[in-house]
C-alpha cells in the first residue's frame, strides 16, 4: 500500500489523504480492510474470490463532514452488532456510485442501488453492501449536526434517493469538493459543509411524509 498526504496549496487548507493499493497480492486487501475498520468489515465477495484486488481512494476532511472517492475491485462491506461493540462509529453515510451498482441490505431489506442514486446508511445499524466493482463518491456526516435538521433521522437507514435534480446537486457539490482538494481553505470549507448539510436534509425530506 502506498499512502500519501497531498501537499497543501496554503497552510490553512483542509486535510486530504490518498491511498493506493497494488493490483496483486493478498496483503493489499488486508491493508485496505484495516483502513476501513472504523466503518466496515471488508472481504472479497464469494462470487469473485480469485479476482486480483486493487483500490485507490482519496479522503477530504472538512468541518462536520468527510468526503471521499474510491475505485475498488469486487467487494463486500458489512457492519454488524460485533462491529458496533468493537467500533462504535455512528455517523450517517451517503453513498453514490458514479458508475455500476451495488446491492445494499439494511433493515432486513435488500435493494439494488443504481448509478447516480443516493443511499443513506446509519452506521449505528447493521448493513451489508456487495458489488462487482466500486466507483463511488461518499459522504460521512456528523450525526449530531444532522439530527437537529432531520427530526426522523433514525428512519433514514436504507433510504435511497432517486437520481433526481436534488440528488444531482448534492453529488455535484461532493464532486466539487474532490476537485478542489487541498486548495480549499478551512474558512471556505465551513460554508461548503453547511451547504452540504442543508442539501442532505432536503434529500431526506420524504422521510417526513412516510
Amino acid at each position: 500500500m502506498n499512502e500519501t498526504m497531498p501537499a497543501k496549496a496554503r497552510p490553512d487548507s483542509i486535510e486530504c489523504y490518498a491511498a493506493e493499493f497494488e493490483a496483486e497480492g493478498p496483503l493489499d486487501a488486508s491493508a485496505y480492510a484495516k483502513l476501513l475498520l472504523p466503518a466496515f468489515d471488508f472481504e472479497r465477495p464469494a462470487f469473485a474470490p480469485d479476482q486480483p484486488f486493487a483500490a485507490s481512494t482519496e479522503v477530504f476532511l472538512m468541518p462536520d463532514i468527510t468526503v471521499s472517492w474510491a475505485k475498488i475491485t469486487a467487494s463486500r462491506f458489512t457492519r454488524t452488532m460485533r462491529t458496533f461493540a468493537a467500533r462504535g462509529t455512528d455517523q450517517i453515510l451517503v453513498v453514490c456510485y458514479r458508475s455500476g451498482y451495488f446491492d445494499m441490505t439494511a433493515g432486513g431489506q435488500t435493494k439494488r442501488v443504481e448509478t447516480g442514486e443516493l443511499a443513506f446508511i446509519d452506521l449505528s445499524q447493521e448493513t451489508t453492501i456487495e458489488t462487482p466493482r466500486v466507483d463511488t463518491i461518499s459522504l460521512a456526516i456528523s450525526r449530531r449536526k444532522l439530527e437537529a435538521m432531520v427530526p426522523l433521522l433514525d428512519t433514514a437507514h436504507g433510504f435511497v434517493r432517486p437520481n433526481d435534480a436534488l440528488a444531482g446537486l448534492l453529488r455535484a457539490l461532493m464532486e466539487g469538493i474532490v476537485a478542489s482538494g487541498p486548495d480549499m481553505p478551512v474558512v471556505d470549507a465551513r460554508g461548503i459543509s453547511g451547504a452540504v448539510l442543508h442539501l442532505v436534509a432536503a434529500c431526506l425530506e420524504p422521510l417526513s411524509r412516510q
Side-chain angles (χ1 to χ4, degrees):
M1 179 186 72
N2 298 317
E3 185 173 349
T4 62
M5 184 177 74
K8 288 188 173 187
R10 47 191 294 173
D12 61 342
S13 59
I14 64 172
E15 298 288 345
C16 309
Y17 297 88
E20 292 189 5
F21 299 78
E22 303 296 336
E24 301 292 340
L27 290 179
D28 293 313
S30 298
Y32 183 73
K34 290 179 181 178
L35 184 69
L36 282 186
L37 277 179
F40 289 103
D41 294 316
F42 167 81
E43 61 185 334
R44 300 184 189 191
F47 62 78
D50 300 321
Q51 183 184 86
F53 178 80
S56 58
T57 184
E58 287 190 40
V59 180
F60 305 85
L61 306 180
M62 300 173 64
D64 301 315
I65 68 172
T66 299
V67 177
S68 61
W69 72 262
K71 289 187 176 181
I72 317 164
T73 48
S75 303
R76 188 173 193 268
F77 309 94
T78 57
R79 189 161 177 84
T80 65
M81 295 302 293
R82 182 179 297 178
T83 317
F84 308 149
R87 304 178 296 280
T89 305
D90 68 346
Q91 292 176 309
I92 302 298
L93 196 64
V94 185
V95 180
C96 179
Y97 269 39
R98 298 179 293 184
S99 64
Y101 67 89
F102 63 97
D103 293 325
M104 173 181 66
T105 301
Q109 294 185 332
T110 299
K111 301 176 182 178
R112 176 154 293 183
V113 183
E114 302 286 355
T115 300
E117 295 180 327
L118 303 179
F120 289 80
I121 299 170
D122 184 341
L123 291 181
S124 70
Q125 300 188 47
E126 292 188 308
T127 311
T128 299
I129 294 174
E130 196 166 80
T131 178
R133 66 183 180 89
V134 177
D135 181 5
T136 181
I137 187 164
S138 301
L139 172 66
I141 309 167
S142 163
R143 187 185 196 91
R144 175 182 56 83
K145 294 292 290 189
L146 200 54
E147 278 179 332
M149 304 172 70
V150 183
L152 298 175
L153 186 59
D154 287 343
T155 65
H157 186 53
F159 174 70
V160 177
R161 179 87 191 191
N163 186 9
D164 57 11
L166 196 55
L169 284 171
L170 178 55
R171 184 173 64 253
L173 185 50
M174 293 162 62
E175 290 173 342
I177 291 169
V178 170
S180 298
D183 295 318
M184 186 186 299
V186 172
V187 65
D188 292 342
R190 294 191 184 98
I192 293 170
S193 293
V196 169
L197 289 169
H198 279 90
L199 277 173
V200 169
C203 285
L204 291 172
E205 192 276 335
L207 296 178
S208 66
R209 304 196 300 268
Q210 291 182 359

